[in-house]
């Protein structure tokens, strides 16, 4: 059955451009972003991997490890990484899983046969430190993903976990956030949100971003 939000991300052992990886052990206490792309030496993927490498500090600041996957070999990955480094003016600083036997692709339902029988689509999973899947997105092969959006979702998830807030549509870091509907006790609200809140409706309560 396909993975769903809240499921434990399946553990696996697989080769990568940085050696053999046991996924859960490799994640440790970090958040993780696991993303697949159709194949090595393809143009859109080259830009995506370059972008991810350039966002290294942004991922690190949030305690996130990135790991890519395609259904090619370690040797192929190594040659391609040299190309990415050169063309994208960066250094790929995260592993690319060499899923030539499609073990991980099948475990994570990354091959959608009606799109392509053998290659992975652009799947992306955000995994929290408890190994729970918190976001799943699937893009077509022809559309590169927006990694600023991935960082935005991580910020939102981390705020939810630490401050009992949700984030409105198009929210950006620093904007007002929404108090989760389950929080009703006035004393708790005063303690958690000392800057106060605006109740537009009883179910729609806005408060300044608590960690700013
Ligand atoms: C790619 O770069 O991965 C790609 C580009 C166009 C169609 C399919 C894949």
């Amino acid at each position: 059955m396909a993975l769903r939000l809240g499921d434990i991300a399946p553990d696996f052992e697989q080769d990568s451009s940085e050696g053999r990886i046991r996924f859960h052990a490799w994640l440790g206490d970090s958040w993780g972003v696991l993303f697949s792309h159709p194949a090595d030496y393809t143009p859109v993927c080259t830009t995506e991997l370059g972008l991810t490498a350039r966002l290294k500090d942004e991922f690190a600041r949030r305690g996130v490890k990135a790991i890519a996957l395609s259904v090619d070999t370690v040797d192929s990955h190594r040659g391609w990484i040299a190309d990415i480094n050169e063309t994208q003016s960066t250094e790929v600083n995260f592993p690319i899983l060499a899923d030539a036997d499609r073990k991980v692709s099948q475990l994570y339902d990354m091959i959608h046969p009606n799109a392509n029988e053998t290659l992975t689509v652009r799947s992306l999973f955000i995994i929290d430190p408890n190994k729970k899947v918190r976001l799943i997105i699937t893009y077509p092969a022809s559309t590169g993903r927006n990694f600023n959006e991935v960082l935005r979702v991580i910020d939102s998830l981390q705020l939810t976990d630490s401050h009992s807030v949700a984030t409105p549509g198009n929210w950006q870091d620093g904007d007002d956030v929404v108090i989760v509907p389950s929080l009703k006790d006035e004393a708790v609200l005063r303690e958690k949100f000392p800057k106060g809140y605006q109740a537009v409706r009883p179910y729609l309560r806005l408060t300044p971003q608590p960690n700013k």
Side-chain angles (χ1 to χ4, degrees):
M1 198 170 79
L3 271 179
R4 293 180 173 170
L5 298 188
D7 290 353
I8 296 295
D11 198 11
F12 58 80
E13 196 173 325
Q14 183 58 288
D15 291 330
S16 86
S17 55
E18 297 186 1
R20 192 92 181 149
I21 285 191
R22 286 189 297 121
F23 187 50
H24 282 194
W26 178 84
L27 281 170
D29 295 329
S30 298
W31 288 71
V33 172
L34 167 64
F35 62 106
S36 61
H37 47 263
D40 291 2
Y41 296 102
T42 50
V44 174
C45 310
T46 300
T47 62
E48 287 192 320
L49 270 69
L51 259 176
T52 306
R54 288 203 300 276
L55 289 171
K56 178 184 180 204
D57 292 347
E58 294 297 327
F59 283 114
R61 200 156 62 76
R62 294 163 173 85
V64 180
K65 288 180 165 179
I67 184 165
L69 173 150
S70 69
V71 291
D72 294 295
T73 62
V74 169
D75 275 354
S76 166
H77 286 354
R78 291 209 174 118
W80 184 40
I81 285 169
D83 267 10
I84 298 169
N85 291 346
E86 192 180 330
T87 62
Q88 306 302 303
S89 307
T90 189
E91 289 277 320
V92 171
N93 41 46
F94 52 88
I96 307 176
L97 291 165
D99 200 40
D101 62 3
R102 291 165 174 71
K103 181 165 75 180
V104 180
S105 312
Q106 278 160 9
L107 204 52
Y108 279 78
D109 198 28
M110 291 164 165
I111 295 176
H112 296 195
N114 290 329
N116 188 300
E117 284 204 0
T118 52
L119 302 179
T120 42
V121 290
R122 289 186 202 285
S123 300
L124 185 146
F125 301 84
I126 295 178
I127 297 161
D128 74 14
N130 296 317
K131 314 286 184 288
K132 280 200 176 159
V133 175
R134 301 289 294 273
L135 173 84
I136 302 174
I137 56 173
T138 307
Y139 272 43
S142 52
T143 306
R145 286 156 288 200
N146 183 335
F147 285 82
N148 292 325
E149 169 64 2
V150 174
L151 292 172
R152 192 188 75 94
V153 177
I154 292 165
D155 286 342
S156 172
L157 289 168
Q158 293 185 343
L159 265 180
T160 300
D161 289 359
S162 59
H163 289 93
S164 311
V165 293
T167 55
N170 279 355
W171 171 82
Q172 295 291 338
D173 189 39
D175 290 349
D176 284 356
V177 296
V178 163
I179 298 173
V180 294
S182 57
L183 266 189
K184 299 206 188 302
D185 187 296
E186 274 302 326
V188 173
L189 288 168
R190 267 196 303 276
E191 188 196 322
K192 274 188 166 290
F193 306 108
K195 294 175 197 156
Y197 66 89
Q198 181 203 358
V200 181
R201 288 286 184 277
Y203 60 86
L204 174 55
R205 299 166 301 171
L206 297 170
T207 189
Q209 186 173 321
N211 62 347
K212 289 287 174 186

